[in-house]
Amino acid sequence: MATAWRLLSERPGSSVTVLEKEDRVGAHQTGHNSGVIHAGVYYKPGSLKARMCAAGSASMVAFCREHGIPVEVCGKLIVATSEEELGRLGALHERSLANGLPVELLDPAGAAEFEPHVECVRAMRVASTGITDFGRVCEVLAELIGELGGEVRLGSKVVSVTPAAGAGVVVGTDRGEVAADVLVNCAGLQSDRVARMAGVRPPARIVPFRGEYYELVESRRGLVKGLIYPVPDPQFPFLGVHLTKMIDGSVHAGPNAVLALAREGYSWGRIRPVDVASAAGYGGLWRLARKHWKYGMGEVRRSLSKRLFAASLARLVPAIGPEDLVRAGAGVRAQAIAPDGGLVDDFLIVEAPGQVHVLNAPSPAATSSLEIAREIVGRIPVSA
């Protein structure tokens, strides 16, 4: 959606069609994420993620304010709950400074000024982190695309991509064909499959991981003022559960990370055999599993036990107990895994003649979407 809007804004008169297989925009990753506008703390200086997240944080806040989308720059705390985590917090502080971010280290008393119920030995305050409703962002983008003469075709599932006579492509959908000079693939959970349809061999495969959330009961929302994150452990593949104030005032807790049994599997009961077979037959996933099987089993146990989920949160805010949590929604992360079992760490954009494929865009992709779009548009020849 962001790419289509950028194309129409920067190249007036262009003919742009967005194909969306669902009956609404933002039905999957965009509509199921935590709503956080990330600052860019975790990313290697100079990487696409670092550059686009810092720029995207500013442009997303500005976009929301311009178009009346609820947004709040509330900041977040990353808290070290033990002496063993101080070295990692210090390294994160140095990386944040290298990325030009407004951060400060706090002692427990300083942390309590922002989050009175946090227990920590030290914390880092990230002032530029915000929250919004990315589903609403997607809806506004759809409206703007229409106003600029573009078209968003809902309920149009892509089933084939073939070269057109001379140049360009013909994209087949279950509701007819679309001929185009350039194909831009931002299909998220299905991006590697679309690339293969188009004759591109992806350097990684998408494997879906479900992130499950609880939320605090209304009477306990006061335990969290903004966003509270743990210090990430680089030896594990995911960040760990955290506490997030949502733009509607609720407080979400999570997510964990368990292998989903469908590309769009938002619950244990959603099983799609073709997706299970795709994941089970991929050597890269097995290599990842051999390295992190203990971590993975812990995530599964936490998925099945509210008590264990609450215990993880209590490391950050000791006052939280199982009785304070109720089930909330889940999201599915389109995680690109390389054949050697490594997680693709940066945004991954692959080009072919007349094609641009975004093959890895996990968090902070929503934050960075307007900047990823700028990058994509810059790769499309003006004559296209």
Side-chain angles (χ1 to χ4, degrees):
M1 303 302 291
T3 301
W5 174 66
R6 282 280 191 207
L7 269 169
L8 290 162
S9 299
E10 297 181 12
R11 303 182 188 181
S14 297
S15 175
V16 177
T17 301
V18 178
L19 299 174
E20 167 59 64
K21 74 181 178 71
E22 306 296 351
D23 61 2
R24 68 188 192 281
V25 296
H28 292 295
Q29 288 190 113
T30 302
H32 290 83
N33 66 27
S34 62
V36 176
I37 301 176
H38 292 282
V41 168
Y42 307 105
Y43 316 122
K44 181 180 179 181
S47 66
L48 280 176
K49 276 190 176 183
R51 291 190 290 107
M52 291 187 182
C53 188
S57 178
S59 60
M60 183 56 68
V61 170
F63 181 88
C64 291
R65 288 174 175 165
E66 179 181 354
H67 296 286
I69 301 168
V71 64
E72 179 184 350
V73 182
C74 56
K76 78 174 177 182
L77 282 185
I78 300 174
V79 300
T81 58
S82 68
E83 297 287 337
E84 290 75 18
E85 294 178 339
L86 290 178
R88 299 202 303 270
L89 183 65
L92 203 60
H93 181 249
E94 292 178 5
R95 174 168 285 193
S96 301
L97 293 176
N99 283 329
L101 303 178
V103 296
E104 60 176 326
L105 290 174
L106 303 170
D107 60 16
E113 292 182 13
F114 294 99
E115 294 289 352
H117 300 281
V118 154
E119 186 173 289
C120 66
V121 294
R122 201 159 178 77
M124 184 172 77
R125 166 78 172 169
V126 186
S128 54
T129 301
I131 52 175
T132 190
D133 178 351
F134 284 115
R136 181 58 188 149
V137 170
C138 215
E139 292 169 357
V140 168
L141 285 169
E143 294 167 5
L144 294 173
I145 290 166
E147 291 171 5
L148 291 171
E151 181 183 5
V152 179
R153 295 190 187 179
L154 302 177
S156 298
K157 180 180 178 179
V158 172
V159 296
S160 66
V161 180
T162 56
V169 295
V170 175
V171 180
T173 78
D174 54 3
R175 298 180 63 181
E177 294 182 339
V178 179
D181 297 317
V182 176
L183 166 69
V184 178
N185 167 18
C186 299
L189 287 157
Q190 309 292 345
S191 60
D192 57 336
R193 291 173 171 169
V194 172
R196 283 194 291 272
M197 281 184 202
V200 172
R201 184 175 180 178
R205 183 175 298 185
I206 297 297
V207 176
F209 283 86
R210 185 172 61 257
E212 299 162 327
Y213 287 88
Y214 284 89
E215 65 176 294
L216 296 186
V217 297
E218 187 171 358
S219 62
R220 301 291 276 173
R221 290 177 182 175
L223 293 174
V224 178
K225 304 298 182 185
L227 287 75
I228 305 172
Y229 280 56
V231 177
D233 189 334
Q235 69 176 311
F236 296 132
F238 297 112
L239 181 62
V241 297
H242 42 273
L243 292 151
T244 305
K245 183 179 77 169
M246 307 292 281
I247 199 67
D248 64 1
S250 63
V251 177
H252 279 209
N256 62 348
V258 296
L259 183 66
L261 302 179
R263 289 270 176 127
E264 294 152 11
Y266 298 103
S267 69
W268 283 109
R270 170 67 169 148
I271 302 171
R272 192 166 183 263
V274 67
D275 293 343
V276 174
S278 174
Y282 183 49
L285 176 61
W286 287 102
R287 294 179 184 97
L288 176 71
R290 278 198 293 271
K291 183 177 181 181
H292 295 295
W293 68 271
K294 288 184 178 179
Y295 177 89
M297 290 303 298
E299 293 292 286
V300 170
R301 287 194 294 270
R302 188 160 55 189
S303 169
L304 300 174
S305 170
K306 183 194 283 191
R307 179 183 60 82
L308 291 177
F309 208 107
S312 297
L313 297 170
R315 291 184 62 247
L316 307 174
V317 179
I320 293 176
E323 67 281 0
D324 300 320
L325 303 177
V326 293
R327 280 279 184 185
V332 179
R333 176 188 179 106
Q335 179 61 59
I337 300 179
D340 65 1
L343 302 184
V344 179
D345 186 52
D346 207 354
F347 297 143
L348 176 62
I349 301 175
V350 173
E351 296 177 72
Q355 303 175 23
V356 181
H357 299 270
V358 181
L359 299 178
N360 190 51
S363 179
T367 298
S368 310
S369 56
L370 301 179
E371 303 307 316
I372 298 173
R374 192 190 303 275
E375 175 80 12
I376 292 169
V377 171
R379 298 187 184 206
I380 298 174
V382 174
S383 59

